[in-house]
């Protein structure tokens, strides 16, 4: 039989070896942390990120980590939320190394996840002696366009004994944080948040 003869004379084709998966390059803990911070910064640099839910931002974060082949297990959602809150506060490396900021982080653990970003922003302004953030700025930190809701947040913090809100002789707002023994400089509560659309009154 011709077909049988050809079958015997032709060596069996060996299966092509599977392409090995590219192994992830080992990096130091410091380098991995830098990559994580870089990816998070990319996400938060988008002005619309302030109005997206943490779960949506987290999924975007995980996708970008895979695309950049950042090694190691992904950080958990609570840790991600904490990083977002700290990043949105605008704290710099010098301030972050102070005892006052360590106190701010400790105090922030006493508020719910969705309020930590607002509290840390106020704490950063107080530690650095910066003007009190406007309603517009507070609203954006909370992920809303509502100026009234921003004022309600300050009222809630004050009811909890976390802050004390008062004004200077010109009527500008000051937020003091008793447990940190510091307060913001006077700030215009009605000042716009540069680059944002006008806030709703409700």
């Amino acid at each position: 039989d011709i077909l049988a003869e050809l079958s015997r004379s032709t060596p069996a084709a060996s299966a092509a070896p599977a392409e090995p998966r590219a192994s992830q390059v080992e990096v130091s803990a410091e380098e991995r942390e830098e990559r994580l911070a870089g990816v998070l910064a990319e996400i938060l640099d988008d002005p619309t990120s302030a109005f997206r839910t943490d779960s949506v931002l987290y999924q975007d974060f995980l996708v970008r980590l895979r695309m950049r082949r950042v090694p190691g297990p992904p950080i958990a959602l609570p840790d991600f939320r904490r990083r977002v809150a700290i990043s949105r506060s605008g704290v710099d490396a010098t301030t972050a190394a102070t005892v006052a900021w360590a106190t701010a982080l400790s105090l922030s653990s006493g508020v719910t996840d969705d309020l930590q970003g607002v509290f840390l922003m106020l704490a950063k302004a107080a530690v650095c002696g910066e003007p009190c953030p406007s309603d517009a700025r507070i609203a954006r930190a909370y992920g809303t366009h509502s100026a009234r809701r921003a004022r309600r947040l300050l009222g809630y913090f004050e009811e909890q004994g976390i802050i004390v809100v008062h004004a200077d002789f010109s009527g500008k707002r000051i937020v003091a944080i008793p447990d940190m023994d510091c307060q913001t400089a006077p700030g215009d509560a009605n000042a716009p948040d540069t680059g944002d659309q006008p806030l709703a009154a409700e």
Side-chain angles (χ1 to χ4, degrees), residues 1 37 40 42 56 60 74 80 117 128 147-148 157 160 163 201:
D1 184 273
L40 180 60
E42 287 179 8
V56 170
D60 187 8
F80 174 78
C128 297
R148 178 170 295 182
F157 283 145
Q160 301 302 309
I163 66 173

Side-chain angles (χ1 to χ4, degrees), residues 10-195:
T10 304
S14 57
E19 289 290 333
R21 293 184 62 183
S23 58
Q24 290 184 329
V25 179
E26 293 294 329
V27 298
S28 65
E30 292 77 11
E31 184 177 351
R32 181 174 185 273
E33 184 61 32
E34 288 179 2
R35 293 190 186 184
L36 292 175
V39 172
L40 180 60
E42 287 179 8
I43 294 174
L44 298 184
D45 281 346
D46 182 348
T48 65
S49 67
F51 307 104
R52 296 161 64 193
T53 64
D54 287 343
S55 59
V56 170
L57 294 178
Y58 182 61
Q59 291 304 317
D60 187 8
F61 180 73
L62 295 180
V63 169
R64 295 185 189 221
L65 290 185
R66 292 198 299 270
M67 291 174 61
R68 288 162 177 73
R69 297 191 181 279
V70 177
I75 62 176
L77 179 57
D79 186 14
F80 174 78
R81 284 175 171 159
R82 183 73 165 169
R83 288 169 181 258
V84 169
I86 294 173
S87 180
R88 283 178 172 166
S89 73
V91 66
D92 56 72
T94 301
T95 303
T98 63
V99 174
W101 185 251
T103 301
L105 291 177
S106 178
L107 291 174
S108 71
S109 298
V111 301
T112 57
D113 290 346
D114 60 324
L115 297 180
Q116 288 186 7
V118 176
F119 173 77
L120 289 175
M121 181 185 65
L122 294 171
K124 185 258 185 179
V127 169
C128 297
E130 298 172 347
C132 179
S134 66
D135 290 341
R137 181 68 186 88
I138 293 171
R140 181 158 64 90
Y142 188 62
T144 180
H145 291 286
S146 171
R148 178 170 295 182
R149 184 169 296 177
R151 292 190 291 272
R152 286 175 180 168
L153 290 176
L154 292 180
Y156 172 77
F157 283 145
E158 193 161 28
E159 289 173 359
Q160 301 302 309
I162 300 173
I163 66 173
V164 175
V165 181
H166 60 107
D168 69 357
F169 292 116
S170 67
K172 290 186 176 180
R173 184 169 63 201
I174 299 171
V175 168
I177 305 178
D179 289 334
M180 295 176 60
D181 193 26
C182 61
Q183 65 181 20
T184 69
D188 182 1
N190 298 315
D193 188 16
T194 306

